[in-house]
Amino acid sequence: MLGLIEKDLRLTLIRKQTLLIFFAVALIMGISMEGSFIIGYLTILATIVAVGTISYDEFDNGFAFLMTLPFNRKTYVKEKYLFSLILAVLAWCFGVILNCIGNLIRHDSIALMDRLPILLVLLPALYLSAAVMIPLQLKYGAEKSRIVLFTFFGIIAILIFASKKISENSDVFARLITSLEGLSPFVLLAVIVLVCLLLTFASYLWSIRIMKKKEF
């Protein structure tokens, strides 16, 4: 497992010039922009970079070589989820630091503890992007997975737009939103984390199934 993580870390650092550009942009955005956009931006970027290591593994029939090494396919899948989580957490922490520095420069009076529940929600919610991308990447490869991913997020956007329209004309949605607003932020955080864990576990099982059926 540690060997696979080291491999992916080295593959990630190959693109250090691109990463430096992204972090320079993040630094400027974090200091100049209000809100928590920079935290989401860095977290989602980190998951994309982490999942992108699968493309490096596939390149030039690399899977056939990797599977000769002393680990099984389940370990390979587990490492991809763990590596994505590590990069997401590091990016989230870096984003929070940039956000705090920006708030100090702008003399923002809202304390970090007041924003903490919202900031904590971002991490599991955005990590779901890795849970979606990993099985798609394993099943369809880099090119086809992008098409499937764009289609998936397009459907999600349509559903969100449709639910918003329905909620505007439905008392049930209004009562549901009112009841959710009455809950403690940390209770909502616990619910979101639990849902994200269940969805990620389902994605993990799907990825293992895909990897076991994969032929090299």
Side-chain angles (χ1 to χ4, degrees), residues 4-216:
L4 287 172
I5 292 175
E6 181 182 353
K7 170 190 70 68
D8 284 346
L9 184 59
R10 291 181 181 273
L11 289 174
T12 301
L13 293 177
I14 289 175
R15 297 174 286 179
K16 55 181 176 294
Q17 291 181 341
T18 304
L19 293 175
L20 286 174
I21 293 173
F22 281 135
F23 281 122
V25 172
L27 183 62
I28 296 171
M29 292 169 60
I31 293 175
S32 61
M33 294 180 63
E34 296 183 5
S36 55
F37 172 79
I38 186 59
I39 302 172
Y41 167 78
L42 285 174
T43 306
I44 196 73
L45 176 64
T47 58
I48 292 172
V49 169
V51 176
T53 57
I54 299 176
S55 298
Y56 283 95
D57 293 339
E58 291 176 326
F59 181 72
D60 199 17
N61 204 26
F63 268 139
F65 169 73
L66 278 175
M67 293 303 126
T68 63
L69 299 177
F71 62 85
N72 56 33
R73 301 187 181 202
K74 184 177 180 180
T75 301
Y76 176 84
V77 172
K78 188 184 299 182
E79 185 273 338
K80 289 302 176 187
Y81 281 85
L82 180 59
F83 184 67
S84 299
L85 180 60
I86 291 171
L87 288 195
V89 170
L90 291 175
W92 182 88
C93 293
F94 184 59
V96 170
I97 292 171
L98 288 180
N99 186 250
C100 291
I101 294 172
N103 291 338
L104 289 173
I105 293 174
R106 292 188 300 270
H107 304 288
D108 195 333
S109 59
I110 301 178
L112 176 62
M113 290 304 297
D114 295 333
R115 293 177 174 175
L116 191 59
I118 296 175
L119 298 180
L120 288 173
V121 164
L122 287 175
L123 182 57
L126 293 174
Y127 180 69
L128 280 180
S129 61
V132 173
M133 288 187 289
I134 290 174
L136 290 179
Q137 185 93 357
L138 290 173
K139 186 172 180 63
Y140 298 107
E143 297 300 326
K144 290 183 180 179
S145 65
R146 290 192 188 100
I147 298 173
V148 177
L149 191 64
F150 285 138
T151 303
F152 173 78
F153 283 117
I155 293 172
I156 294 294
I158 292 172
L159 291 175
I160 292 173
F161 179 77
S163 64
K164 183 179 179 181
K165 288 295 183 182
I166 294 172
S167 64
E168 291 175 353
N169 302 308
S170 173
D171 294 335
V172 175
F173 278 94
R175 288 196 296 269
L176 178 61
I177 292 172
T178 302
S179 61
L180 289 175
E181 288 177 348
L183 293 176
S184 167
F186 289 100
V187 172
L188 285 175
L189 174 62
V191 171
I192 292 173
V193 169
L194 179 61
V195 171
C196 291
L197 283 175
L198 292 174
L199 292 175
T200 301
F201 184 67
S203 167
Y204 168 70
L205 294 178
W206 184 30
S207 296
I208 291 175
R209 185 176 179 181
I210 292 170
M211 197 63 187
K212 285 183 177 179
K213 291 183 177 181
K214 208 171 182 65
E215 295 181 0
F216 309 115

